[in-house]
Amino acid sequence: WTHYILSRQGANASLFINGTRVATSSVAGITLGHNVIAIGMYSTNSGALYWNGYVSNVREVIGTAVYDPTLTTATVPTAPYSWIPKTTFLGCQNNRFIDNGPLGLAITVTGSPSVQKLSPFPAYGITPYYSTYFNGSSGLSLPNTNQSVLAVVAGATFTVEAWIYLGSLATSQIIIADNVPGTANFYWHFAVNTGGYLNFSWYIGSSVTATST
């Protein structure tokens, strides 16, 4: 399992992998939550890109930098996430597809993602922890119909984090993205490229990418 974080505050945004900062950049123009949030897939004008593997404990927090982007390290969670103030989505951690955040957003299923008793956290007693398995042709999406709740203006503070477990890597694979369905227009996305590196791309008139080393 690999834990990733994107944390942004002011003009500073940093990408952390397993608690170590691997990329940092100035992202004054980025907008979060502008179109459709998709997990395990990314819509393009020629089809879609998908994730092959497991995703657990996806959390999006708008208005708070849960981790300080100016630091070189971040504390890796040792238990499933809970929702905290300003959480806008919390999912891929139950035995069904549900948003555990305070908004309780409806989740749309594409293809056949499945719930698995596989987690980055050890189970205690008889209580299992879960993840979502994406088979390379499936995904989950959260239509952003309430811009006043999920939209973030340029310069806002936010954190996106999750645990991932890669299945296979034949092409670049999208973990989570914010884009316009049926087009190649995106505002940001997390992906693993063909070299096995995690990258975060965002659009501010042209695309900009920060890639792990």
Side-chain angles (χ1 to χ4, degrees):
W1 284 96
T2 300
H3 181 249
Y4 81 78
I5 302 163
L6 176 76
S7 192
R8 185 269 181 84
Q9 188 171 39
N12 299 308
S14 292
L15 180 63
F16 296 85
I17 296 179
N18 292 330
T20 299
R21 191 176 70 183
V22 295
T24 187
S25 182
S26 174
V27 289
I30 192 173
T31 300
L32 186 72
H34 186 81
N35 301 294
V36 173
I37 303 298
I39 303 169
M41 63 181 183
Y42 168 56
S43 177
T44 74
N45 54 6
S46 59
L49 300 174
Y50 293 97
W51 174 253
N52 189 312
Y54 301 83
V55 178
S56 184
N57 285 262
V58 178
R59 183 168 65 182
E60 178 186 86
V61 180
I62 296 177
T64 297
V66 181
Y67 307 89
D68 187 342
T70 66
L71 301 180
T72 58
T73 60
T75 301
V76 177
T78 57
Y81 306 151
S82 58
W83 74 265
I84 59 178
K86 302 183 180 178
T87 296
T88 51
F89 176 72
L90 176 61
C92 297
Q93 59 174 188
N94 288 90
N95 60 356
R96 61 196 185 281
F97 302 126
I98 187 173
D99 174 15
N100 289 317
L103 301 179
L105 299 173
I107 296 176
T108 300
V109 178
T110 297
S112 302
S114 60
V115 172
Q116 301 291 325
K117 291 182 180 178
L118 180 67
S119 167
F121 312 109
Y124 293 98
I126 61 174
T127 302
Y129 295 139
Y130 297 93
S131 62
T132 300
Y133 174 68
F134 299 94
N135 61 8
S137 60
S138 59
L140 305 174
S141 59
L142 306 166
N144 186 0
T145 58
N146 191 342
Q147 295 294 324
S148 65
V149 173
L150 291 181
V152 173
V153 298
T157 298
F158 61 84
T159 299
V160 179
E161 61 181 317
W163 288 87
I164 60 173
Y165 191 117
L166 181 64
S168 63
L169 186 61
T171 61
S172 294
Q173 296 188 39
I174 300 297
I175 304 165
I176 182 170
D178 170 16
N179 80 311
V180 181
T183 76
N185 299 323
F186 72 91
Y187 277 77
W188 59 268
H189 69 240
F190 269 112
V192 174
N193 64 23
T194 53
Y197 295 105
L198 185 68
N199 63 58
F200 178 75
S201 295
W202 62 94
Y203 184 81
I204 49 173
S206 60
S207 60
V208 183
T209 300
T211 302
S212 66
T213 55

